[in-house]
Amino acid sequence: MEFLRPASWQEALAAKAEHPSAVPIAGGTDVMVEINFDHRRPDHLLDLNRIGELEEWETGEDTVRLGASVPYSKIMAGLRRELPGLALASHTVASPQIRNRGGVGGNLGTASPAGDAHPALLAGGAAVEAESVRGSRLIPIDDFYTGVKRNALAPDELIRAVHLKKASGPQQFSKVGTRNAMVIAVCAFGIALHPDTRTVRTGIGSAAPTPVRARTAEEFLAAALDEAGLWESRKAVPPAVAKQFAVLVAAAANPIDDVRGTAAYRRHALGVMARRTLGWTWEQYRGHGSEQGSTSCA
Amino acid sequence: MGITRTPTSLTQSEATRGGIGESTLRPDGTLKVTGEFAYSSDLWHEDMLWGYTLRSTVAHATIASIDTGEALATPGVYAVLTYDDLPTEVKHYGLEIRDTPVLAHGKVRHHGEPVALVAADHPETARRAAAKIRVVYEPLPVITDEASATAPDAVLVHDGREDHHIGHVAHPNIVHRQPILRGDADRAAARADVVVSGEYVFGMQDQAFLGPESGLAVPAEDGGVDLYVATQWLHSDLRQIAPVLGLPERKVRMTLSGVGGAFGGREDLSMQIHGCLLALRTGKPVKIVYNRFESFFGHVHRHPARLWYEHGATRDGKLTHVRCRIVLDGGAYASASPAVVGNAASLSIGPYVVDDVDIEALALYTNNPPCGAMRGFGAVQACFAYEAQMDKVAARLGMDPVEFRQINAMEQGTVMPTGQLVDSPAPVAELLRRVKSRPLPPERQWETTEGADVRALPGGLSNTTHGEGVVRGVGYAVGIKNVGFSEGFDDYSTARVRMQVINGEPVATVHTAMAEVGQGGVTVHAQIARSELGVTQVTILPADTRVGSAGSTSASRQTYMTGGAVKNTCEAVREKVFDLGRRKFGTYHPAWATAELLLEGGRVVTDGGEALAEIADVLEDEVVDLELEFRHRPTQAFDLRTGQGNGHVQYSFAAHRAVVEVDTELGLVKVVELACAQDVGKALNPLSVVGQIQGGTTQGLGVAVMEEIVVDPKTALVRNPSFTDYLIPTILDTPTIPVDVLELADEHAPYGLRGVGEAPTLSSTPAVLAAIRQATGLELNRTPVRPEHLTGS
């Protein structure tokens, strides 16, 4: 195995062009596990740790451009207001040590349905900035996940950053695991209210071959909110609407039975999480309730 | 005032700092916390090779062929060994029954069984070479449960058994069966106003010690081998290793290296023989380290069990009878199964008075992973079931579950189902009273001025609830565990103690073969030596086989047994010091002949407190050096038909109260508090005692809500051999554990102490289950509880 250590982003792109099968490694929290378990034996590892700009983020007027290697702990600490859904999701990633190393680029590169960032990225409407020596492009998150642990990157492309709109409304993230910390998702759910566009976006993790949105549920909810004028009146969401939203979220999943949980439980749990997180975000939108569960850093 | 050595000699210790009863700090504590402690996986030798074990990918199959040619031809490979390369006629090992092949012979009986060994100059080379060994398996039907094991046409897991249990089992796929019959359960049942029965399932728990199996074997010039290894009982390993190597035991010199936890999982051999074989074959030092994945296949687990219980009681809350049947899955090899059966049977009804019982416990041979020793050893599975039953009976009687237990609680003078008299304190009712009388944690304890603190809620940081769907439950349980090796086993421990003057100061040196696996034994040995010999400086030598056996670091026995051995030898050394003193100074002071003498603060003093001489002046250049064995009271085997016999040395008791918050919609559990009360007889090191109780409690919590090795019932393959999917509690899952320590001396034991390590693991699990049942109203006859069991989905 060859270990490539480009000193700059341009060098990294050149290396990736020369060795398209090279596996990029940043925090190593996923790649190294794969290598240690011998699940993967790439010819080349492409170390991105010398490229400092990947660990930076820029906050514009409306958007955040989040470097692929910004560690989860920094997202939690520094972007809680701008990207509340992703900050909450980051808090559920593994342990403090792993959160200090891992970043969103790794989650996207691996594209495991169990990656904790995906539901928040889907709900937030992210775009993935991919680049190669041929040029740069933005891949909408909706088009990014193409199969089990597969994504839309071309072999010579690297993930440089993720672009996300700053939250224009409340966002939430919930994940079920059978332990109260440091646990891989049995299933997960993200929701973001976008009052500026009067839309709702969602993301489901670990309950389908890829991370998915619950589009029918989103459309149903947006329509229900619109029809009842709730965006303006900020009145409570009728329980029947919340219930139907939960049913539609559960229906959007396509889970399996595995050692972590049953398909039936996953559907059930997604419904519960959908109903609760809708409640939390809507209450916050109405001006009640706390911003989120107080999740001081553990 | 006359003085007896036990237990009033405790007063003596208080004069010497760092003696028994003090919470002296462990020498390994800081090193472990800062990551500096050298574990067995850190062993290193110039020019060493790395060993790797090829393991079976199927659970039950005949081996049609093994082709090692390509592996041997790999550059960097020094040796590839299979069964055919074993050097002597002894090709099997085992704790009690030698049924485990060193390397698979013609057949594999479980997933992950060692098939071949490779030694190479790099671990990666060894691993890759092993992958080139071609093993052709021809599948056999898998035996996975009682029905498939005992079917008339069942494939035998072991053909031609000749062990001493085969004569009394109904089927060769039963390792051992122990009935216990006392009184007349049928007649007593007729007196019962309520009869409650239930069937319970206990999942397979793993010890999940953090330091995986590892060791270093170094070939010696005399043809022998020096083995450095993390284990639980050096001499038991030695007895199994030497014959396979064809070496006399004195040529296999073992030294304990840093052990990263054990919990029973190091009682059986792992890499010991393999490492030695490779070292002797290549003439080079060989290191073997399992990774986490391999570790799940490298040691036995806790027996999963199915348990059937029937309890009867009269209207006024007196138990009339208990009938039970406990089926333990021993997996492919016997390991400690026979002893686990004896424990499960003899402790099956719990710490209660029941005169009429009909009990049966047995262990199966199956193609599931081998199961053996784990903290609690057969008593854990039974406690989960009988405590569930006790709650059910109390509910049927409309009684408070704690009061119902107290009515039936055993005490000193109770006769066990085995006929054994409980002849030391058994404060079962008092332990329950203590946990019950604690104030409960406040309701809705997760609420803060800034909103819900999710860390205090089910789901924790995963942010699944801010209080929605959360219901509190409170549950109680109490358990009984034996201490020490039982059923007539000649259980002894050896301690060598030397006393001499170094730089003008008396110094004691303690040498035992006790495996320090994290329990704090070395700390306690130094405390004992200080108390008994009145010295400040104590050197604890590394544990090795140059001194006699210390027995196993298991069965809650080491403070009792090797602590007892250190005390015993110290007492003999002390007498030698007194003799020396009498010879030198006897004529100067009559007290040398007439008074009771003590060693205290570096001096010989009378029990009246008068100093007679400095120890240094008594010893001068003399070295007092003794090695003595220490035994507990003898025990008896259980009668194979009736189960009668004084089988156990000592009993220990702990009670728990669990307070849980259950997210009833998502089926997630947060254990808020697990209060424990335990009688320890005498706390030699109170801090260590509390640590043991909190650790045992947490391990019990683990198997209540998350820990389980999942084995596919169709293939007998392990589905979750990783810490990604075999979950153990994190600190966020670990509740507040207030501990109430009682010290009611057992007059038969050194210092009156009672083994501590296991009892808290028993009652923790059923207390959590009882609390979840109270919160959900569900029956929950299986542990661990998974979310889908609580949501019905």
Side-chain angles (χ1 to χ4, degrees):
Chain A
M1 195 184 321
E2 251 189 276
F3 195 64
L4 309 173
R5 301 204 66 204
S8 69
W9 180 246
Q10 291 312 319
E11 274 184 46
L13 294 179
K16 185 66 170 152
E18 195 183 338
H19 308 285
S21 67
V23 174
I25 179 167
T29 60
D30 204 354
V31 172
M32 285 314 297
V33 174
E34 296 261 292
I35 288 173
N36 287 338
F37 274 99
D38 204 33
H39 292 161
R40 193 167 188 178
R41 196 63 38 168
D43 292 333
H44 296 86
L45 277 181
L46 182 57
D47 175 23
L48 302 176
N49 281 293
R50 293 171 73 192
I51 304 163
E53 66 199 73
L54 295 179
E55 290 185 41
E56 291 164 8
W57 72 81
E58 297 158 32
T59 311
E61 185 97 340
D62 300 317
T63 60
V64 176
R65 179 171 178 265
L66 179 71
S69 302
V70 175
Y72 291 111
S73 54
K74 289 200 175 160
I75 299 173
M76 284 156 55
L79 289 165
R80 194 168 282 245
R81 192 145 30 90
E82 294 83 353
L83 308 175
L86 186 61
L88 278 168
S90 300
H91 211 136
T92 75
V93 174
S95 62
Q97 295 89 333
I98 301 291
R99 293 197 286 269
N100 283 336
R101 294 287 301 166
V104 170
N107 249 202
L108 289 167
T110 302
S112 157
D116 291 318
H118 305 312
L121 296 177
L122 283 165
V128 180
E129 183 184 336
E131 195 172 344
S132 71
V133 289
R134 296 175 289 116
S136 176
R137 62 174 176 144
L138 280 179
I139 308 171
I141 195 72
D142 293 348
D143 302 334
F144 188 78
Y145 310 107
T146 55
V148 182
K149 296 198 176 185
R150 282 183 22 234
N151 59 37
L153 291 176
D156 62 347
E157 279 181 321
L158 290 171
I159 300 168
R160 182 164 195 173
V162 175
H163 295 245
L164 276 151
K165 272 198 316 177
K166 282 185 185 170
S168 63
Q171 303 183 350
Q172 275 291 345
F173 176 84
S174 269
K175 160 174 137 181
V176 166
T178 40
R179 180 160 72 183
N180 288 327
M182 213 167 93
V183 68
I184 194 161
V186 171
C187 56
F189 183 71
I191 181 170
L193 305 186
H194 300 279
D196 53 337
T197 52
R198 296 195 174 186
T199 54
V200 177
R201 283 180 65 108
T202 61
I204 291 172
S206 272
T210 66
V212 291
R213 283 170 64 192
R215 286 173 191 269
T216 314
E218 291 172 9
E219 284 157 18
F220 160 79
L221 181 60
L225 295 173
D226 248 351
E227 277 164 30
L230 296 181
W231 288 112
E232 293 82 7
S233 70
R234 298 188 187 235
K235 284 187 180 153
V237 173
V241 170
K243 197 172 162 194
Q244 182 59 16
F245 175 68
V247 167
L248 292 172
V249 167
N254 184 18
I256 55 168
D257 286 336
D258 65 16
V259 75
R260 292 173 194 149
T262 62
Y265 174 77
R266 286 184 161 105
R267 277 191 202 280
H268 165 80
L270 280 169
V272 174
M273 288 191 288
R275 178 162 42 76
R276 288 183 183 172
T277 53
L278 170 59
W280 300 338
T281 48
W282 193 256
E283 281 306 296
Q284 194 190 329
Y285 177 67
R286 297 177 68 200
H288 308 291
S290 60
E291 192 177 314
Q292 62 208 30
S294 136
T295 50
S296 42
C297 296
Chain B
M1 180 182 81
I3 190 162
T4 51
R5 294 283 173 226
T6 306
T8 43
S9 61
L10 303 192
T11 50
Q12 175 189 327
S13 73
E14 283 154 16
T16 306
R17 282 192 55 199
I20 63 163
E22 287 185 39
S23 290
T24 58
L25 294 179
R26 2 177 358 139
D28 50 333
T30 304
L31 294 173
K32 283 176 175 170
V33 171
T34 55
E36 289 176 272
F37 185 83
Y39 290 97
S40 54
S41 50
D42 299 315
L43 289 163
W44 190 267
H45 198 293
E46 199 82 355
D47 295 333
M48 71 181 186
L49 302 178
W50 296 79
Y52 186 85
T53 314
L54 179 73
R55 293 172 182 275
S56 64
T57 52
V58 294
H60 201 199
T62 52
I63 299 175
S65 65
I66 305 180
D67 178 1
T68 61
E70 202 184 333
L72 262 171
T74 306
V77 169
Y78 282 70
V80 179
L81 304 182
T82 66
Y83 179 88
D84 293 336
D85 299 300
L86 297 177
T88 73
E89 287 311 301
V90 181
K91 298 172 197 292
H92 292 73
Y93 67 92
L95 286 174
E96 181 187 323
I97 303 171
R98 283 185 193 262
D99 64 352
T100 313
V102 172
L103 291 166
H105 179 215
K107 192 180 196 185
V108 292
R109 296 182 176 86
H110 68 91
H111 183 201
E113 180 160 354
V115 174
L117 303 170
V118 179
D121 56 11
H122 190 279
E124 187 61 19
T125 307
R127 190 195 60 74
R128 289 188 198 185
K132 293 177 188 164
I133 299 172
R134 276 191 284 273
V135 185
V136 178
Y137 296 109
E138 286 168 358
L140 292 167
V142 289
I143 306 288
T144 56
D145 57 11
E146 188 179 19
S148 57
T150 59
D153 59 343
V155 176
L156 301 188
V157 179
H158 293 271
D159 287 320
R161 277 179 63 186
E162 289 175 352
D163 60 83
H164 54 284
H165 296 297
I166 185 69
H168 62 259
V169 293
H171 192 288
N173 282 341
I174 298 172
V175 184
H176 173 48
R177 172 179 177 271
Q178 179 64 64
I180 298 180
L181 300 168
R182 187 169 179 80
D184 185 337
D186 288 340
R187 231 166 80 186
R191 289 191 289 118
D193 295 312
V194 299
V195 173
V196 167
S197 59
E199 180 181 347
Y200 302 90
V201 177
F202 200 102
M204 187 187 292
Q205 189 180 17
D206 188 61
Q207 295 83 354
F209 44 70
L210 293 185
E213 294 84 345
S214 43
L216 174 69
V218 184
E221 283 182 4
D222 66 351
V225 63
D226 293 286
L227 177 61
Y228 304 84
V229 66
T231 185
Q232 272 180 255
W233 184 359
L234 289 166
H235 287 79
S236 165
D237 288 6
L238 179 60
R239 184 176 49 77
Q240 298 171 78
I241 297 165
V244 177
L245 304 179
L247 290 171
E249 289 187 1
R250 68 186 156 76
K251 285 200 173 182
V252 181
R253 292 163 292 262
M254 295 182 66
T255 305
L256 187 76
S257 43
V259 184
F263 312 110
R266 296 188 208 269
E267 268 207 345
D268 295 78
L269 297 180
S270 57
M271 57 62 63
Q272 286 91 326
I273 298 176
H274 297 161
C276 292
L277 286 169
L278 289 171
L280 291 170
R281 169 64 77 103
T282 60
K284 283 172 162 287
V286 174
K287 173 173 172 172
I288 298 183
V289 183
Y290 296 173
N291 64 15
R292 179 57 55 191
F293 175 88
E294 186 171 16
S295 180
F296 274 99
F297 299 97
H299 60 261
V300 300
H301 315 291
R302 189 193 296 292
H303 289 74
R306 272 185 182 273
L307 312 94
W308 291 264
Y309 271 79
E310 178 188 286
H311 280 65
T314 57
R315 212 166 284 113
D316 58 353
K318 285 292 289 179
L319 285 168
T320 54
H321 71 288
V322 176
R323 280 191 261 251
C324 70
R325 182 160 190 277
I326 301 173
V327 177
L328 301 152
D329 184 348
Y333 295 104
S335 179
S337 282
V340 172
V341 166
N343 260 21
S346 58
L347 304 170
S348 61
I349 67 160
Y352 302 111
V353 182
V354 188
D355 294 327
D356 300 281
V357 299
D358 183 345
I359 295 162
E360 175 189 26
L362 58 86
L364 302 168
Y365 272 128
T366 68
N367 297 117
N368 290 325
C371 290
M374 183 173 171
R375 194 180 203 168
F377 205 82
V380 161
Q381 296 90 331
C383 187
F384 163 68
Y386 63 67
E387 286 300 84
Q389 285 282 106
M390 292 299 282
D391 282 339
K392 272 195 198 173
V393 179
R396 279 281 291 279
L397 290 168
M399 289 183 81
D400 174 82
V402 171
E403 193 190 331
F404 173 61
R405 284 174 170 85
Q406 287 172 322
I407 290 172
N408 294 286
M410 66 157 55
E411 53 196 13
Q412 186 163 358
T414 295
V415 175
M416 295 286 290
T418 56
Q420 185 166 23
L421 178 76
V422 177
D423 62 358
S424 68
V428 176
E430 171 63 11
L431 294 172
L432 286 161
R433 189 193 66 75
R434 288 188 179 222
V435 291
K436 192 182 180 187
S437 63
R438 279 185 179 279
L440 284 164
E443 296 283 337
R444 301 182 70 82
Q445 40 74 35
W446 61 84
E447 286 178 344
T448 72
T449 50
E450 290 146 53
D453 181 346
V454 293
R455 293 171 302 176
L457 281 161
L461 289 176
S462 297
N463 190 39
T464 45
T465 178
H466 297 170
E468 300 91 335
V470 176
V471 179
R472 171 170 285 192
V474 179
Y476 294 87
V478 61
I480 175 171
K481 177 69 185 56
N482 61 318
V483 173
F485 279 28
S486 301
E487 298 187 59
F489 188 86
D490 179 24
D491 191 11
Y492 71 96
S493 185
T494 316
R496 181 175 175 184
V497 177
R498 186 167 68 218
M499 203 165 175
Q500 68 195 107
V501 179
I502 297 174
N503 295 332
E505 258 206 77
V507 176
T509 304
V510 178
H511 189 191
T512 76
M514 177 204 67
E516 170 65 67
V517 304
Q519 81 276 22
V522 294
T523 318
V524 165
H525 290 179
Q527 291 178 263
I528 292 171
R530 285 192 204 102
S531 285
E532 297 301 332
L533 299 175
V535 297
T536 309
Q537 288 200 45
V538 179
T539 302
I540 306 289
L541 294 182
D544 56 38
T545 50
R546 291 178 304 156
V547 63
S549 174
S552 179
T553 301
S554 60
S556 306
R557 68 180 281 289
Q558 276 301 21
T559 304
Y560 190 129
M561 292 305 297
T562 306
V566 172
K567 175 175 188 283
N568 181 54
T569 308
C570 283
E571 285 166 352
V573 166
R574 190 168 62 200
E575 286 309 319
K576 293 258 183 207
V577 173
F578 295 154
D579 285 346
L580 280 172
R582 285 189 194 101
R583 265 185 270 150
K584 275 191 188 163
F585 304 115
T587 53
Y588 302 114
H589 199 305
W592 280 102
T594 56
E596 192 75 41
L597 300 181
L598 307 169
L599 296 181
E600 216 174 79
R603 294 184 292 191
V604 181
V605 299
T606 69
D607 56 346
E610 186 184 357
L612 297 181
E614 296 287 330
I615 297 173
D617 294 335
V618 172
L619 282 174
E620 291 183 305
D621 292 337
E622 294 270 355
V623 176
V624 181
D625 192 337
L626 292 174
E627 178 175 331
L628 298 174
E629 287 176 359
F630 172 78
R631 283 175 165 74
H632 59 61
R633 292 191 284 172
T635 58
Q636 300 169 334
F638 296 127
D639 183 274
L640 284 172
R641 198 180 48 81
T642 65
Q644 299 302 292
N646 292 332
H648 294 309
V649 185
Q650 187 189 53
Y651 298 104
S652 72
F653 307 92
H656 278 94
R657 181 188 68 193
V659 180
V660 305
E661 315 281 10
V662 182
D663 182 336
T664 52
E665 278 189 292
L666 284 177
L668 301 175
V669 177
K670 166 75 182 180
V671 182
V672 175
E673 187 196 85
L674 252 173
C676 183
Q678 183 169 347
D679 173 29
V680 305
K682 165 72 186 173
L684 264 57
N685 185 315
L687 185 63
S688 285
V689 162
V690 170
Q692 279 281 357
I693 294 171
Q694 292 181 327
T697 298
T698 306
Q699 211 153 18
L701 179 157
V703 79
V705 295
M706 60 182 86
E707 291 190 43
E708 183 175 14
I709 293 183
V710 181
V711 181
D712 187 320
K714 290 192 202 76
T715 60
L717 298 177
V718 178
R719 296 180 67 198
N720 58 339
S722 75
F723 276 169
T724 304
D725 287 314
Y726 183 91
L727 300 178
I728 57 177
T730 69
I731 196 66
L732 262 186
D733 301 280
T734 306
T736 310
I737 306 176
V739 175
D740 202 345
V741 174
L742 267 74
E743 294 183 275
L744 305 179
D746 175 356
E747 62 176 23
H748 310 286
Y751 302 114
L753 73 84
R754 206 174 276 288
V756 175
E758 291 171 288
T761 314
L762 271 60
S763 42
S764 164
T765 311
V768 171
L769 263 289
I772 300 173
R773 285 186 197 107
Q774 199 207 38
T776 61
L778 297 169
E779 193 159 356
L780 304 179
N781 62 358
R782 183 188 198 287
T783 204
V785 172
R786 298 180 56 88
E788 56 263 33
H789 301 154
L790 300 181
T791 60
S793 57

